[in-house]
Amino acid sequence: MSKANVDVLREETKNWFWASKFGMFIHWGVYAVLGQGEWTRQAHKISQDDYAKLPGQFNPKKFRPDEWAALAKEAGVKYMVFTTKHHDGFCMFDADNTDWKVTKTPYGKDVLREVTDSFEAAGIRVGYYYSIMDWHHDDYLPRLAFEAEERPAEGHDVMDYIKYMREQIHQLLTQYGNAPFVLWYDGGWMNAPEDLGAAETNAMARTWHPGILINDRHHTKEDLVTPEQRIPPTGILDDDGKPALWEACLTLTSHWWGYDKHETVFKTSDYVIRMLVDIVSKGGNLLLNVGPKPDGTIQKEFTSVFKDIGKWMAVYGESIYGTTASPFNQLPFYGRVTVKGNKLYVHVFQWPVDGKLRLPGLHNRALKAWVVGDEATRLKLRRKGADVIVSVPEVAPHPVVSVLCVELDGAPKADTFVIRPDRWGRLMLPALYGMMEGPHGQRIRYESRDGILHVGNWYRAPDCVYWKFEAETAGTYELTIDHSVESGEGGSVLGVIVN
């Protein structure tokens, strides 16, 4: 196939992925037997010999991949990414070059093929996660710190591991039909990309499976940016300043991706639906994880969230799929906006008590508006200066996220909102206009209490909230912060006043 044809296929895959918005991540391996998460070998310093006993205990008698696929389809999931091999090196497929694989367990079947077939039969495209890191292979370096002495690196050549890795990637990209649409690397932070021949491996992958997308976790610039366990405060741009293709991957748990029998903290359906809207309004996709149990079932805390998302998507999915990012950098209400052509989809998280929603600095003429799901009932529109005011029903159509559609006279254009001093020289920095940011494991988030919006759940030092504003003059200012700290919980901030 010519390079031009490969580029066309790759662009088609990018466009499809961009429009899909919502995926399911599945972390499943022999680590599920212990129920302590996917990093259990390192976290609990389990020797290689002891860990080698786990495959003999892996026999998921309740594994029904068709049921997994049905749950994903019900939720509105458009694609799935499955962990073919995690950091423990155990292959959940019938790898040709090792016996450290699922077909050598009591279960004895190629789980990857079963999962791939079931999801593709349900109309859901399938991608493959592959860990570059490998704690099992003798030639992968560096060793885990706790076993460095008992497993010395001397006499081992990482080039032999590269050959092993490329053989597996070739098998994954050539023996499973149309799958995968994405090669989803992980575990690449322990080595420089040139040390493992990343660029060369990716070039090979594109010849083996034309049009495939590759993520950024081999630390080369590829197709897909993948922030983990955090939501960027704004969209992500590429080196040219254009919107990048990106996907936030998050767990429903507080920490681990694989099954954790001790987990007690789970994200709620309400939070996840708003999280999905937030990510899509910034131009991204959500890859939401499940960690199946060792018996092959998905626990109720996960299934209930996916089912609730599906109920919401069944009514409001048009405001998610195929949409672009919001034209507004800030909104004067708690909500988000997505765009499709000349339509604004206004997602309202907190219903206005005065019955009015203001779309600030909108250049376009608003032609008509309605509640999604009830197009026959039109909402009143009026212009007030640079803003468009939408009159909404007294009661929110949905208790978590209601969606309005506003049709414009063309593609939406809006002024950039800038916080400036009021007539007394004060800068008011409410929580609503704050930019929340944090590294991996971000916990800070918006919370509404008694109808008042806070920046809440703030108990990690790396998390932060910041505001962008313009001051008339340089100088020394007095800050007044309205905040609270609750026993046993994170702190919250209502806003800041700069005098």
Side-chain angles (χ1 to χ4, degrees):
M1 183 177 291
S2 70
K3 182 180 182 303
N5 288 337
V6 170
D7 289 343
V8 169
L9 282 175
R10 187 176 173 190
E11 199 61 31
E12 287 176 350
T13 309
K14 284 182 179 181
N15 291 337
W16 166 84
F17 178 82
W18 160 81
S20 297
K21 303 303 180 187
F22 184 32
M24 175 186 279
F25 214 173
I26 301 178
H27 276 70
W28 201 37
V30 291
Y31 45 78
V33 171
L34 297 177
Q36 299 173 144
E38 73 289 352
W39 279 77
T40 187
R41 183 166 178 240
Q42 185 196 58
H44 296 93
K45 296 180 171 58
I46 301 173
S47 71
Q48 192 174 47
D49 288 344
D50 285 342
Y51 200 80
K53 300 172 184 176
L54 294 184
Q57 304 171 52
F58 188 79
N59 192 14
K61 295 183 177 180
K62 296 182 180 180
F63 173 44
R64 306 287 185 271
D66 287 352
E67 293 180 4
W68 291 10
L71 173 66
K73 190 174 183 67
E74 181 181 351
V77 163
K78 297 298 184 183
Y79 63 93
M80 181 273 288
V81 177
F82 186 81
T83 47
T84 65
K85 183 192 82 160
H86 207 268
H87 308 330
D88 63 356
F90 188 82
C91 298
M92 294 296 285
F93 63 103
D94 190 19
D96 293 335
N97 61 358
T98 183
D99 286 339
W100 186 239
K101 58 184 177 180
V102 69
T103 48
K104 294 295 183 179
T105 67
Y107 184 68
K109 301 176 187 176
D110 187 334
V111 165
L112 181 64
R113 188 169 298 281
E114 292 183 302
V115 169
T116 298
D117 290 348
S118 291
F119 276 78
E120 287 189 335
I124 298 169
R125 291 184 73 171
V126 178
Y128 293 161
Y129 167 111
Y130 185 86
S131 173
I132 298 161
M133 190 187 304
D134 193 315
W135 300 330
H136 180 81
H137 197 282
D138 282 343
D139 293 308
Y140 175 80
L141 302 172
R143 295 281 189 253
L144 289 170
F146 76 88
E147 63 173 4
E149 290 187 12
E150 66 184 59
R151 293 184 66 201
E154 287 75 23
H156 297 283
D157 188 349
V158 75
M159 292 303 296
D160 290 335
Y161 174 70
I162 294 172
K163 178 177 180 292
Y164 171 87
M165 177 176 66
R166 287 175 176 170
E167 288 172 351
Q168 292 195 342
I169 292 173
H170 178 264
Q171 183 179 352
L172 290 170
L173 270 54
T174 59
Q175 293 188 13
Y176 291 86
N178 294 324
F181 78 88
V182 64
L183 178 55
W184 213 103
Y185 287 121
D186 196 18
W189 60 86
M190 295 300 294
N191 306 90
E194 56 271 18
D195 293 341
L196 292 181
E200 294 82 0
T201 302
N202 292 346
M204 292 176 185
R206 297 196 190 285
T207 64
W208 298 330
H209 199 84
I212 194 169
L213 301 184
I214 300 176
N215 77 348
D216 57 342
R217 295 195 175 202
H218 214 329
H219 294 283
T220 58
K221 291 182 180 179
E222 299 293 340
D223 305 299
L224 182 60
V225 182
T226 56
E228 178 176 334
Q229 293 286 53
R230 66 184 183 88
I231 301 174
T234 63
I236 296 176
L237 303 179
D238 62 20
D239 291 342
D240 297 323
K242 297 178 181 178
L245 200 64
W246 66 276
E247 170 191 70
C249 55
L250 293 110
T251 62
L252 285 166
T253 61
S254 64
H255 193 58
W256 298 122
W257 297 80
Y259 174 62
D260 180 3
K261 62 187 177 184
H262 304 294
E263 181 63 272
T264 60
V265 179
F266 300 92
K267 293 180 177 67
T268 66
S269 299
D270 294 4
Y271 178 71
V272 174
I273 292 170
R274 291 179 176 179
M275 184 173 70
L276 170 64
V277 172
D278 183 30
I279 290 167
V280 173
S281 76
K282 296 169 182 175
N285 287 24
L286 170 61
L287 185 60
L288 187 62
N289 184 70
V290 298
K293 298 165 73 172
D295 66 0
T297 61
I298 297 175
Q299 63 196 86
K300 66 181 186 304
E301 289 88 354
F302 297 165
T303 58
S304 63
V305 171
F306 275 87
K307 287 176 180 292
D308 287 344
I309 295 172
K311 292 174 185 176
W312 186 87
M313 291 285 262
V315 179
Y316 301 115
E318 68 178 82
S319 72
I320 298 296
Y321 304 124
T323 60
T324 54
S326 175
F328 305 101
N329 68 310
Q330 296 282 8
L331 290 170
F333 57 87
Y334 185 29
R336 296 290 183 267
V337 170
T338 59
V339 176
K340 188 180 292 181
N342 67 333
K343 292 179 179 177
L344 294 176
Y345 287 100
V346 184
H347 300 78
V348 187
F349 298 171
Q350 186 169 290
W351 204 243
V353 294
D354 64 356
K356 310 293 181 186
L357 281 177
R358 181 163 58 90
L359 301 175
L362 188 62
H363 294 191
N364 306 76
R365 186 164 62 93
L367 304 178
K368 53 186 177 181
W370 61 91
V371 174
V372 172
D374 184 19
E375 187 170 352
T377 304
R378 296 298 165 82
L379 304 177
K380 183 179 178 182
L381 294 164
R382 66 184 177 92
R383 179 165 286 280
K384 185 175 181 181
D387 306 338
V388 170
I389 311 297
V390 186
S391 296
V392 299
E394 184 177 344
V395 178
H398 192 277
V400 180
V401 181
S402 300
V403 186
L404 314 179
C405 184
V406 181
E407 187 175 314
L408 308 176
D409 61 355
K413 296 180 181 179
D415 293 327
T416 299
F417 175 77
V418 180
I419 301 175
R420 293 187 173 91
D422 61 18
R423 59 178 178 170
W424 295 283
R426 297 178 305 181
L427 282 159
M428 310 296 289
L429 309 177
L432 183 63
Y433 292 153
M435 297 285 190
M436 294 178 294
E437 191 162 19
H440 182 284
Q442 176 184 341
R443 293 291 182 265
I444 191 171
R445 66 191 186 199
Y446 283 124
E447 294 179 343
S448 181
R449 303 181 185 182
D450 299 324
I452 300 173
L453 191 67
H454 299 249
V455 174
N457 204 46
W458 193 357
Y459 56 84
R460 290 200 333 153
D463 292 347
C464 69
V465 58
Y466 63 91
W467 291 262
K468 293 183 178 181
F469 57 86
E470 291 183 1
E472 293 180 351
T473 58
T476 301
Y477 290 82
E478 177 183 294
L479 298 180
T480 303
I481 303 176
D482 187 351
H483 71 100
S484 65
V485 178
E486 299 178 18
S487 177
E489 299 182 11
S492 69
V493 173
L494 181 60
V496 178
I497 301 174
V498 183
N499 286 306

